[in-house]
Amino acid sequence: MAGVIALEAGPLAVSLAEVKAMLRLEGDGDDALIAGQIRTATALCEAFIGGWLIERGGEQRLAADTAWQRLGIAPVVAVLAVVAGGADVPSEDWESDIDSDGCGWVRAKRPLPAGARVQFRAGLAADWNGVPEPLRAGIVRLAVHLFTHRDAPDAGPPPAAVAALWRPWRRLRLA
C-alpha cells in the first residue's frame, strides 16, 4: 500500500455492539476506547491482507513515464481520473485496466508531468455487510484482545486465530 493515500476514512467493518457483546459489556463508559480498538484492529487487518475492506476513494502518484504502473491497493473497483498540476489529464492521454485479481493498472500514452496522480476507488465490499465473516471475526477477536490487554505491556502476541482467519484473503506481492 506504499504511496497510496486514502481520500476518505474507511468505515468500521464491525460494529461497536459486536465487540461489546464479545466482551459482555452493557454500559457505554468504554465505548470510545472500544471504538478506537476497532479502528486499530481494522487498520491492522487491512495492512495484513494488503487491501481495503470497505470501498473508498484513494489516489497514488504516478511515475512520469509511459510504462504500465500497478496501483498499490486492491481490489480496485474503478480508475476515475489522472490529475496533474491541479487539472484532469484528458482521458485520451492515459488508459487503465483492472485485472481478474482486482489489481488496477494505469499507463500514460505520453510522459506525464512530475507529481501526476491517479484517482480510484478500491475495496473488498461496498459496506460492512459485504465483508467476509472470517475477516470480521478476526477484527472482533483482535479488538477484544487489544481492549482486555490495554494495561498489560507484556500481554504477548494477539491470538493466532486472528491471522488464521485473515490469511486466505492476504495479497502477497513480489518486490
Side-chain angles (χ1 to χ4, degrees):
M1 293 191 278
V4 174
I5 300 169
L7 297 178
E8 53 199 82
L12 297 179
V14 300
S15 71
L16 183 63
E18 288 175 277
V19 176
K20 285 176 70 172
M22 185 80 128
L23 288 165
R24 294 184 175 93
L25 292 177
E26 293 182 11
D28 58 1
D30 290 318
D31 284 3
L33 178 59
I34 296 168
Q37 305 297 14
I38 293 170
R39 286 190 299 276
T40 299
T42 300
L44 289 171
C45 178
E46 289 181 336
F48 185 88
I49 69 169
W52 291 341
L53 296 173
I54 299 176
E55 184 181 320
R56 60 189 183 261
E59 70 178 23
Q60 177 177 322
R61 274 188 190 255
L62 294 172
D65 63 31
T66 58
W68 280 100
Q69 299 177 58
R70 182 179 179 168
L71 300 183
I73 196 73
V76 174
V77 176
V79 177
L80 306 172
V82 173
V83 179
D88 285 356
V89 174
S91 59
E92 59 269 5
D93 289 347
W94 60 275
E95 59 186 326
S96 66
D97 187 31
I98 300 172
D99 66 24
S100 61
D101 289 333
C103 295
W105 297 85
V106 177
R107 183 181 77 86
K109 294 181 180 176
R110 44 187 142 273
L112 295 170
R117 300 177 322 278
V118 59
Q119 296 176 339
F120 57 88
R121 292 199 63 77
L124 192 59
D127 59 33
W128 67 271
N129 283 319
V131 176
E133 283 303 317
L135 293 174
R136 297 179 77 246
I139 292 169
V140 169
R141 281 181 168 267
L142 184 54
V144 166
H145 174 81
L146 293 170
F147 180 81
T148 57
H149 294 91
R150 66 190 178 278
D151 293 326
D154 58 346
V162 172
L165 289 163
W166 293 346
R167 193 166 287 117
W169 283 269
R170 191 169 197 182
R171 292 176 169 267
L172 298 177
R173 274 180 41 178
L174 298 175

